Amino acid sequence: MRIRSRARRTAGVTPASLGVRGDGRGHRVTAEAVDRTDAIRDPAVRALATDTLSWSVRATGHLR
C-alpha cells in the first residue's frame, strides 16, 4: 500500500488513517525522511541525508 499524501508532514499516524483494515491481515508501512530544503544542494549529500524505515502492522480492530 502506498499512501504518501495521507501521512505527509505528519508527526504521528494510526494504521486506520493509512487505510489498514481491522481484518487481522498484515500490512507493511514505510516512512521516508528527506530534506528537500535548499540547504542541501548536492544530490550525493541529499542521498546521505535521506532514510527510510519499514515495519509490519496488523490491525485487529479500530477504536472510534
Side-chain angles (χ1 to χ4, degrees):
M1 176 185 320
R2 235 175 142 81
I3 304 175
R4 293 174 176 255
S5 61
R6 286 190 198 173
R8 186 170 283 167
R9 293 184 178 92
T10 305
V13 296
T14 63
S17 71
L18 295 174
V20 175
R21 296 185 200 128
D23 59 5
R25 292 187 346 213
H27 298 272
R28 185 159 204 70
V29 177
T30 301
E32 180 179 48
V34 180
D35 184 343
R36 298 190 196 285
T37 66
D38 291 337
I40 299 179
R41 295 180 182 166
D42 185 334
V45 175
R46 179 159 305 182
L48 292 171
T50 300
D51 202 4
T52 61
L53 176 66
S54 297
W55 61 97
S56 297
V57 298
R58 184 178 309 275
T60 58
H62 300 289
L63 297 175
R64 293 179 191 218

